[in-house]
Amino acid sequence: MTDPLDARSNSARTARNESRAPPNGSGRERPVLDGLEDYDRDGLQTNREAVAGTSPFAPDTDEDGIPDVIEVALQRIDPALSDTDADGIPDPREDFDDDGLNTIEEIEAGTAIDRADTDRDNLTDSVEINAGTDPTLADTDDDGLSDFQELNDPAFPRSEADPTDPDTDGDGTLDGDETFTTTATDTE
């Protein structure tokens, strides 16, 4: 791997020279210290890969389709095992947060693998995906009404407020601005 007596040594197992970073604009190269390089470019430095028990030369040590960096960050998925809980369901097909999406679907959607409602708007990620809203934004159309209000609140029936259109009725006023009631009193 690298020379333990030289903190700036290069690994012979990769095609590039990790001991030198790209020039910083001044014409000088900045060395990368051993343990801080990322041979497999998976977002985990070699020293973190050693602690986690993952391969610094493979972005997915257990070859289950979930990158090591995600498995290490979650801490509930073992990056060295493709079926962490040994229940017969491989980690990529597991639904760890019971939101109706498996791990790979969560990764593809950009949602949290360990939280059923990524944007915390009281709609599960799978409900939002099926409704066409963004499960990472509490108010997909940015009209001042949450996706939950527009999909589930009886005051805003689905036929009246579209969570993907900020001005459902096309009158130039945001749906959220049309929900307020005001009372005027004539003092004369």
Side-chain angles (χ1 to χ4, degrees):
M1 216 191 269
T2 59
D3 181 352
L5 300 177
D6 180 2
R8 295 180 178 145
S9 62
N10 182 44
S11 172
R13 293 191 55 187
T14 61
R16 61 191 170 93
N17 183 350
E18 294 83 11
S19 67
R20 300 203 183 280
N24 63 6
S26 66
R28 297 185 339 216
E29 292 183 346
R30 295 170 291 157
V32 176
L33 298 177
D34 288 348
L36 300 181
E37 62 275 286
D38 182 7
Y39 296 122
D40 56 13
R41 298 178 184 190
D42 65 355
L44 290 175
Q45 295 174 333
T46 303
N47 58 355
R48 289 197 59 211
E49 299 238 30
V51 170
T54 58
S55 169
F57 298 103
D60 181 11
T61 299
D62 58 8
E63 298 180 342
D64 65 357
I66 305 170
D68 290 343
V69 69
I70 292 175
E71 292 180 304
V72 169
L74 285 177
Q75 298 178 349
R76 68 185 296 180
I77 304 176
D78 187 331
L81 298 173
S82 60
D83 183 9
T84 298
D85 56 9
D87 64 354
I89 301 172
D91 292 343
R93 292 193 6 238
E94 195 89 54
D95 181 4
F96 290 104
D97 57 10
D98 296 320
D99 66 353
L101 298 175
N102 67 40
T103 306
I104 294 299
E105 291 169 330
E106 299 259 21
I107 291 169
E108 290 171 353
T111 56
I113 294 168
D114 58 348
R115 192 169 55 236
D117 180 11
T118 299
D119 59 12
R120 299 175 188 210
D121 65 355
N122 294 316
L123 296 171
T124 64
D125 296 338
S126 61
V127 166
E128 291 212 53
I129 287 171
N130 290 332
T133 60
D134 186 336
T136 66
L137 297 172
D139 181 4
T140 297
D141 60 6
D142 198 29
D143 64 355
L145 297 174
S146 73
D147 295 338
F148 177 81
Q149 288 175 304
E150 293 188 85
L151 290 172
N152 288 333
D153 194 322
F156 309 103
R158 177 78 168 115
S159 61
E160 292 180 24
D162 181 348
T164 62
D165 182 353
D167 180 15
T168 302
D169 60 9
D171 66 356
T173 303
L174 294 176
D175 293 341
D177 291 339
E178 294 187 76
T179 62
F180 298 102
T181 304
T182 58
T183 303
T185 306
D186 187 5
T187 57
E188 294 182 28

